[in-house]
Amino acid sequence: MKKKAFKAALPHTLPICVGFLFLGMSYGFLMRSKGFSFVYPMLMSLFIFAGSMEFVTVNLLLSAYNPLYAFFLTLMVNARHLFYGISMLSTYRNVGIKKLYLIYGMCDETFAVNCSVTPPEDVDRGWFMFFVTLLNQLYWVGGATMGALLGYVIHFDTTGIEFVMTALFIVMFLGQWEEAKDHRPALTGLGCSLVCLLLFGGERFILPAMALIVVCLMLGQRRAERRTGKGAGQ
């Protein structure tokens, strides 16, 4: 049963492996360039397992200790997982103790596979999702550790390597822009970020910007619901 599930899950994770190894190695190189031992990216990728937040954590570790700021920043950056989790409640039902790891190890790519792929009839869905989650995490941990280890022997100018995560978000933004018909949420995010950048500066604008985006989107949703209600009433 487990062997079949592993063989079924592996092909769906190979494209993710390529991206995770590249991004993970970039993260490992970045941590090593900041003076951290390879143990840091290895354990952080294992226990945090949130790519965007791991890149942000580099600066948090090098700045003044502020646990409250780190908590709210982490909450905002990974708030999308709240919605992922709600949508997966029925999918993760009846999978036994594996549910604990499936919840912990869910990332964007794992969510996409487990949510959209139906395993073969002779493959247990719980084990299929388990191996998808496990393989994706192993790719990320392996890439981060490999990059940090290579950082000991390969020395080059790492200036700008932290931009790899920004580039990833830009690509994701452009992809969603092309797919979405309604661009108002994206424009709201850009506008709120720009306003907060001007008001609070480059080092402190993230939390206010995310809070403002959430408020604006909630207000926009309420207006849309009111208009829908009025239209239905007429």
Side-chain angles (χ1 to χ4, degrees):
M1 181 185 296
K2 297 179 183 178
K3 191 173 182 180
K4 285 185 177 180
F6 177 82
K7 289 183 177 180
L10 181 61
H12 295 285
T13 65
L14 290 180
I16 299 171
C17 174
V18 177
F20 271 20
L21 286 179
F22 174 75
L23 288 173
M25 289 181 67
S26 300
Y27 170 64
F29 272 117
L30 175 62
M31 288 290 288
R32 184 71 196 114
S33 70
K34 299 296 183 180
F36 292 99
S37 163
F38 79 94
V39 176
Y40 279 83
M42 180 178 68
L43 294 181
M44 287 170 63
S45 59
L46 179 63
F47 292 110
I48 299 178
F49 192 41
S52 54
M53 195 59 220
E54 288 176 45
F55 275 86
V56 174
T57 304
V58 178
N59 291 326
L60 291 178
L61 291 174
L62 296 173
S63 59
Y65 180 64
N66 191 339
L68 188 62
Y69 176 81
F71 171 77
F72 282 109
L73 180 60
T74 304
L75 180 63
M76 289 291 189
V77 170
N78 294 290
R80 65 189 184 279
H81 290 285
L82 295 172
F83 303 98
Y84 290 171
I86 293 173
S87 65
M88 296 297 283
L89 285 175
S90 59
T91 306
Y92 286 171
R93 189 175 299 164
N94 300 323
V95 296
I97 194 67
K98 295 186 290 296
K99 180 190 295 186
L100 297 177
Y101 178 68
L102 291 175
I103 293 172
Y104 165 76
M106 185 175 64
C107 62
D108 297 352
E109 294 76 10
T110 298
F111 168 79
V113 175
N114 287 340
C115 184
S116 59
V117 176
T118 301
E121 295 182 358
D122 59 340
V123 173
D124 180 78
R125 184 174 180 82
W127 282 112
F128 173 83
M129 294 189 295
F130 175 85
F131 283 117
V132 168
T133 306
L134 178 63
L135 286 168
N136 286 340
Q137 185 172 15
L138 289 177
Y139 299 150
W140 180 255
V141 175
T145 305
M146 192 186 309
L149 289 174
L150 289 175
Y152 284 98
V153 295
I154 300 177
H155 302 283
F156 62 95
D157 185 7
T158 58
T159 302
I161 194 172
E162 61 270 17
F163 186 75
V164 68
M165 208 64 201
T166 304
L168 174 63
F169 281 122
I170 292 175
V171 171
M172 292 172 61
F173 174 82
L174 293 176
Q176 293 178 358
W177 178 277
E178 293 179 353
E179 294 178 2
K181 295 180 180 180
D182 185 3
H183 297 309
R184 284 176 295 181
L187 294 174
T188 299
L190 290 175
C192 292
S193 300
L194 180 60
V195 169
C196 290
L197 178 62
L198 296 174
L199 291 176
F200 300 100
E203 296 182 355
R204 300 182 178 179
F205 84 101
I206 295 179
L207 286 181
M210 290 184 172
L212 184 59
I213 291 170
V214 171
V215 171
C216 291
L217 292 177
M218 290 177 63
L219 292 175
Q221 181 65 24
R222 289 183 179 180
R223 289 180 181 177
E225 291 176 354
R226 289 176 183 174
R227 291 176 182 175
T228 303
K230 289 181 179 179
Q234 292 175 355

